């Protein structure tokens, strides 16, 4: 999907729909849906969180073992079973299977 498409559809509903769906103070929206929301709301800020890529990969590896490969994060490009099998062979195989 085109980045921001969900937000543009939301904004097209008009002010009445936006008022009914006004986010709670401190609400955080993530992913492509959030792109474009600041056009509709005051006091809105975009931000990006960056992590060191190796630390992020180690964290994901550990998390997937902890949640028994049930979280959508643990899917990988070939599915959770393939990623789990790679992780069971070792961290480097997990990293190769996970991809970028």
């Amino acid at each position: 999907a085109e980045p921001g498409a969900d937000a543009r559809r939301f904004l097209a509903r008009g002010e009445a729909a936006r008022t009914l769906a006004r986010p709670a103070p401190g609400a955080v929206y993530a992913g492509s849906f959030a792109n474009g929301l600041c056009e509709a709301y005051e006091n809105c800020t975009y931000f990006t969180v960056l992590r060191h890529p190796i630390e992020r990969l180690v964290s994901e590896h550990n998390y997937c073992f902890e949640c028994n490969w049930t979280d959508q994060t643990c899917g990988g490009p070939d599915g959770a079973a393939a990623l789990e099998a790679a992780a069971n062979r070792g961290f480097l195989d997990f990293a190769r299977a996970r991809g970028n």
Side-chain angles (χ1 to χ4, degrees), residues 5-96:
D6 290 331
R8 280 191 292 285
R9 279 193 295 277
F10 176 75
L11 294 172
R13 291 187 202 167
E15 182 60 33
R18 287 196 301 272
T19 300
L20 290 174
R22 187 147 327 271
V28 175
Y29 293 91
S32 62
F33 178 77
N35 188 13
L37 283 179
C38 284
E39 295 171 22
Y41 298 110
E42 296 176 9
N43 300 320
C44 182
T45 303
Y46 292 114
F47 65 93
T48 301
V49 176
L50 301 175
R51 292 180 64 189
H52 189 279
I54 302 298
E55 290 175 1
R56 191 208 56 78
L57 189 63
V58 169
S59 176
E60 181 180 342
H61 175 268
N62 294 337
Y63 172 74
C64 290
F65 272 104
E66 287 176 20
C67 77
N68 200 27
W69 303 90
T70 57
D71 190 285
Q72 65 182 3
T73 303
C74 306
D78 297 321
L83 193 58
E84 180 180 11
N88 287 330
R89 290 190 303 271
F91 181 77
L92 289 179
D93 281 348
F94 169 82
R96 288 184 191 105

